[in-house]
Amino acid sequence: MTWRREVFFLGGFDPRGPSRDHRTCAQAVADHPVTPAGETVQIGPRQRVSPLLDAWDVHWTQPDGVSVHTRHHVMRWDDIVRAAWPRGWGAAWRDRWVVYARAFHHGAFWPIWRFARPAFWLAMLPLLIGLGLGVLWAALAALAVSAGAAVLGVALALPLWLWTWRQLEVRLDADWLLRLYGFTWRVARDEVPGIQARIDQLADELVQRATDGQARELLVVGHSTGTQMAAMVMARALRKAPWLGQRGPQVALLTLGHCTPVLAWVRDAGWFRDDLARLADHPPLTWHDIAAPGDWAAFARVAPWLTPGRARLARYSPRFHQTLDAATYQRLRSHRHEMHQQYLRAPQHSGGYDPVVWMAGPLTLAERSPAPARS
């Protein structure tokens, strides 16, 4: 039996393009532990399909004759990320103002505190660092004043405080989360140029592939902030083509390390909450979410769809502690960004979550859990 799948992948808030995604996928294929089915998996070179899509082929073949051809597309929005990427001190402090002043004022952090406390503390880490350094440099300035060097102490305190704050938060790997939160806030308020037009274009691509009808499954995959983009693209496609999944290929959405609540809980993001509700209530859609409780940047204890619906909705833990050696897992726990990237990397032991199995293997997402419990 041979069949075809089309994957449409949306990565996180990362200015690097599809070449990095292809390297990650190729490494996952190379490291993939063979399952009891005894498959071989091969990956082809990356190709530029259009200004919006890069793609490569992944072939899964089993000795029993089962063969799956997966066309793996990267839906590009890295140019929008690069345009929005903070450059220089001014942009970095703008993001901190957005997160710690405007977002707090609008109540965006209250539900994060209630339902995703690790993510809350990770977001607060740079602020706590800044406050601690502020107290330190204020004390040193006071000593300078008492020693008769008032002008020098006061003049140096502020720039030294800002410089040490910036250096320390970068070294502690907290800076990237503030970039993500600042960008998400601007998306909620429609302040990111070009993003709505891009979502519309990517939704058109999805509808066109469904219309062609050559694949058995259309699988949209989002990772990190890309889970927000994946949900937007799929919801926009459903508005354009409400018949998706009712005829033509199966349609499925796979979210990895999701952070959809960061956007959905912003007061001005009612349009995104409507998108999530539309997806959750589309019966032909299969939506599975994989998030690790140990991943502080993900919202593992909160369903990405927020409200229940008639779609096939299921949530899983990747159980990294079981699919990785103990030493590897402990290293991930001490490197938050690496833990957040593990969803795209091969496990060391088969039998649990493996991105190659889920995105290129012999089961569609609907077949993987034909009657999941809704939540």
Side-chain angles (χ1 to χ4, degrees):
M1 179 185 71
T2 301
W3 60 277
R4 178 184 176 90
R5 168 194 289 116
E6 296 206 45
V7 168
F8 297 89
F9 176 77
L10 292 114
F13 186 65
D14 193 324
R16 294 169 290 183
S19 60
R20 183 251 189 182
D21 297 321
H22 182 256
R23 288 194 301 271
T24 301
C25 186
Q27 192 63 55
V29 168
D31 296 341
H32 156 71
V34 177
T35 71
E39 73 280 352
T40 58
V41 186
Q42 297 177 320
I43 184 171
R46 179 174 61 94
Q47 303 167 339
R48 172 62 61 88
V49 177
S50 73
L52 299 179
L53 296 176
D54 280 34
W56 53 87
D57 296 315
V58 182
H59 300 280
W60 175 292
T61 306
Q62 295 177 185
D64 62 4
V66 173
S67 178
V68 183
H69 171 71
T70 298
R71 185 69 166 167
H72 189 113
H73 304 82
V74 173
M75 286 186 152
R76 300 197 62 164
W77 67 296
D78 51 291
D79 56 319
I80 293 176
V81 174
R82 282 192 295 274
W85 192 262
R87 293 179 177 85
W89 279 39
W93 298 122
R94 178 200 63 192
D95 280 348
R96 283 140 189 78
W97 170 256
V98 165
V99 172
Y100 295 133
R102 296 176 68 190
F104 257 117
H105 176 70
H106 283 258
F109 272 95
W110 171 239
I112 298 177
W113 165 258
R114 287 184 62 196
F115 300 112
R117 204 153 294 182
F120 175 87
W121 286 119
L122 185 57
M124 290 301 104
L125 180 60
L127 179 62
L128 297 176
I129 292 171
L131 292 176
L133 288 173
V135 171
L136 173 62
W137 284 111
L140 293 176
L143 289 176
V145 171
S146 65
V151 174
L152 180 63
V154 173
L156 290 179
L158 180 60
L160 286 174
W161 170 49
L162 295 177
W163 184 83
T164 50
W165 183 6
R166 176 82 174 131
Q167 295 301 311
L168 191 55
E169 69 178 6
V170 169
R171 287 182 178 274
L172 291 176
D173 204 21
D175 180 61
W176 62 277
L177 190 67
L178 287 182
R179 292 193 188 110
L180 185 157
Y181 280 15
F183 176 80
T184 301
W185 173 266
R186 293 192 293 277
V187 170
R189 299 168 63 86
D190 198 19
E191 296 174 355
V192 177
I195 194 166
Q196 292 299 328
R198 181 61 52 84
I199 292 166
D200 207 50
Q201 293 169 320
L202 295 177
D204 285 339
E205 292 279 356
L206 195 60
V207 172
Q208 183 59 50
R209 300 307 171 103
T211 303
D212 292 344
Q214 297 180 0
R216 180 178 174 189
E217 178 186 43
L218 296 184
L219 175 61
V220 178
V221 181
H223 172 242
S224 188
T225 317
T227 60
Q228 300 170 6
M229 289 291 293
M232 294 178 213
V233 170
M234 181 67 86
R236 189 73 55 90
L238 287 180
R239 283 201 294 271
K240 294 171 177 285
W243 50 264
L244 282 175
Q246 295 173 343
R247 63 177 189 265
Q250 299 176 21
V251 291
L253 177 61
L254 176 63
T255 46
L256 306 172
H258 85 89
C259 53
T260 58
V262 175
L263 177 55
W265 287 338
V266 176
R267 185 185 308 166
D268 297 316
W271 59 271
F272 184 61
R273 293 189 289 274
D274 290 343
D275 280 353
L276 296 179
R278 180 186 298 273
L279 294 172
D281 205 41
H282 187 66
L285 176 69
T286 300
W287 184 355
H288 289 189
D289 176 67
I290 298 177
D295 178 10
W296 282 29
F299 286 69
R301 304 188 189 281
V302 183
W305 39 81
L306 299 186
T307 57
R310 295 176 295 166
R312 296 185 182 93
L313 307 173
R315 298 166 61 195
Y316 305 88
S317 167
R319 301 190 179 277
F320 292 144
H321 64 290
Q322 294 179 356
T323 61
L324 298 172
D325 293 337
T328 302
Y329 181 66
Q330 289 302 318
R331 180 180 60 81
L332 285 183
R333 292 189 65 184
S334 62
H335 293 82
R336 291 181 293 272
H337 192 264
E338 291 300 304
M339 174 75 81
H340 198 53
Q341 298 300 314
Q342 185 60 36
Y343 303 96
L344 305 177
R345 296 170 178 164
Q348 293 171 315
H349 312 294
S350 63
Y353 166 72
D354 181 337
V356 177
V357 173
W358 281 64
M359 295 184 219
L363 298 179
T364 67
L365 207 62
E367 292 167 342
R368 190 166 295 282
S369 183
R374 295 189 177 100
S375 60

